[in-house]
Amino acid sequence: MAIVKYTPDQIRKMEESDRIRRASEPIELVKLVKRIKHEFLSDESLAELPPAVKHKITDEILQRLRSLRPNASIRDQQEHQGVIS
């Protein structure tokens, strides 16, 4: 493994580059995006479906599954359900 020796001028330029990059970071924007993400994720958990709606959807899915032939292909199933025009 080779060791690289930097000149004092190169080190100063790298440090200046780091300082400029850090100063130009949109810190407030990053904080805002994190807060919005957190709020969005917490809102998703509050938007859970009521048990009655879940039950209705489950019943509808089961009814559609029962109406299929036992050996139906995926294409047959899609045609039966109106997925393919």
Side-chain angles (χ1 to χ4, degrees):
M1 178 177 203
I3 297 177
V4 179
K5 301 260 183 181
Y6 294 106
T7 65
D9 189 51
Q10 288 173 319
I11 293 171
R12 183 184 56 74
K13 287 180 181 179
M14 287 187 280
E15 289 171 345
E16 179 70 9
S17 175
D18 280 346
R19 187 190 63 73
I20 291 170
R21 188 175 66 256
R22 284 191 189 114
S24 67
E25 287 180 356
I27 295 170
E28 290 303 314
L29 178 61
V30 171
K31 287 180 183 177
L32 179 62
V33 168
K34 285 182 182 179
R35 192 179 86 225
I36 290 171
K37 280 184 180 179
H38 179 27
E39 289 174 6
F40 180 74
L41 291 175
S42 64
D43 286 349
E44 278 185 1
S45 63
L46 295 176
E48 190 171 320
L49 294 174
V53 174
K54 284 183 182 180
H55 184 72
K56 182 178 179 182
I57 292 171
T58 303
D59 286 346
E60 185 177 330
I61 291 170
L62 288 173
Q63 181 182 359
R64 287 184 180 197
L65 289 172
R66 287 183 189 122
S67 70
L68 295 174
R69 292 184 322 237
N71 295 324
S73 69
I74 291 175
R75 182 159 181 82
D76 291 339
Q77 294 173 19
Q78 290 173 337
E79 287 174 350
H80 179 73
Q81 297 300 320
V83 175
I84 297 178
S85 308

